[in-house]
Amino acid sequence: MTSAVGGLSPSRRMESCTIISRQMGATWHARTIPAPSGLTHFMCVRAYKPVMHEQEGTFVARYLGTDAGHAVVRTVVYHTNDGGTHLQATVAQTLDDATSDYMGHPVHWLDSDSGYAIRDGRLTVTNDSGRLWHNVPSPALETALPRYPRVLAIQFLSQTEGFVHLQSRDYAHTVLLKTVDGGTTWDRMCE
């Protein structure tokens, strides 16, 4: 088995990921999670650390495959209400090119329901464990992203208060933005 970071790792089996922790790390074991329908010939290349609260949790996995002869990445959000015994998988193509930090994590999770990401120059949000995603119109953020396209971090403290730390393409400049209305308006904290 491959080594795990944060309790998850890609499986050596192409079409699955392996989770090796249950009960928020209280017990550990290997469990193979099959790829969702439509991605059975895709390879799980990365599974990200879950966010858990009691028995409810959410995590993201990325799968690599081909579509019409081209390599593509597909993102899947997994959600559980029973500590991981049963998982609901949602293929979230909205997140295929999304990022939430410099490490390439696709989503910053506030909790197992609320997630935030930057995709195509916009803030993308879910409040239902990744089943549906919507763009938040935010002119100040959308104006800042072309000048600072590298997302260093997204951090939301609540569904209304959050921060985005961005960096210029040449790595020379950064800006820290803050929202208190869920991402519609942003104020520069420092540049």
Side-chain angles (χ1 to χ4, degrees):
M1 178 171 20
T2 57
S3 64
V5 176
L8 297 171
S9 69
S11 171
R12 289 182 187 198
R13 293 182 59 208
M14 289 185 54
E15 71 281 356
S16 62
C17 285
T18 301
I19 186 168
I20 61 171
S21 175
R22 282 193 58 201
Q23 300 166 343
M24 297 180 291
T27 61
W28 295 83
H29 73 283
R31 175 173 174 218
T32 300
I33 302 166
S37 170
L39 299 181
T40 55
H41 296 330
F42 280 56
M43 177 174 64
C44 180
V45 292
R46 180 82 193 264
Y48 297 89
K49 184 177 179 178
V51 59
M52 296 289 296
H53 178 70
E54 297 179 0
Q55 295 293 307
E56 186 175 2
T58 304
F59 71 93
V60 174
R62 285 208 162 136
Y63 290 81
L64 179 64
T66 59
D67 185 13
H70 300 284
V72 294
V73 172
R74 292 293 179 251
T75 306
V76 178
V77 178
Y78 289 95
H79 182 76
T80 182
N81 288 314
D82 59 11
T85 302
H86 299 93
L87 293 168
Q88 177 183 354
T90 302
V91 178
Q93 287 183 322
T94 299
L95 298 177
D96 289 348
D97 298 318
T99 188
S100 69
D101 65 23
Y102 69 95
M103 298 289 293
H105 293 91
V107 179
H108 162 74
W109 294 100
L110 170 64
D111 52 41
S112 58
D113 291 322
S114 303
Y116 304 85
I118 302 287
R119 180 176 185 262
D120 294 335
R122 291 187 171 91
L123 179 67
T124 302
V125 176
T126 184
N127 290 306
D128 62 2
S129 306
R131 287 178 205 79
L132 297 173
W133 293 85
H134 66 276
N135 290 333
V136 176
S138 36
L141 179 62
E142 293 166 18
T143 300
L145 280 165
R147 184 169 175 205
Y148 302 96
R150 299 184 189 287
V151 179
L152 297 178
I154 297 174
Q155 181 72 46
F156 271 76
L157 307 175
S158 69
Q159 288 188 353
T160 56
E161 185 179 10
F163 298 87
V164 174
H165 191 195
L166 304 172
Q167 186 176 53
S168 61
R169 191 174 311 282
D170 64 3
Y171 304 99
H173 305 281
T174 63
V175 64
L176 179 65
L177 304 174
K178 179 181 180 179
T179 184
V180 293
D181 61 8
T184 301
T185 60
W186 296 85
D187 292 319
R188 288 179 187 252
M189 300 302 294
C190 60
E191 191 166 355

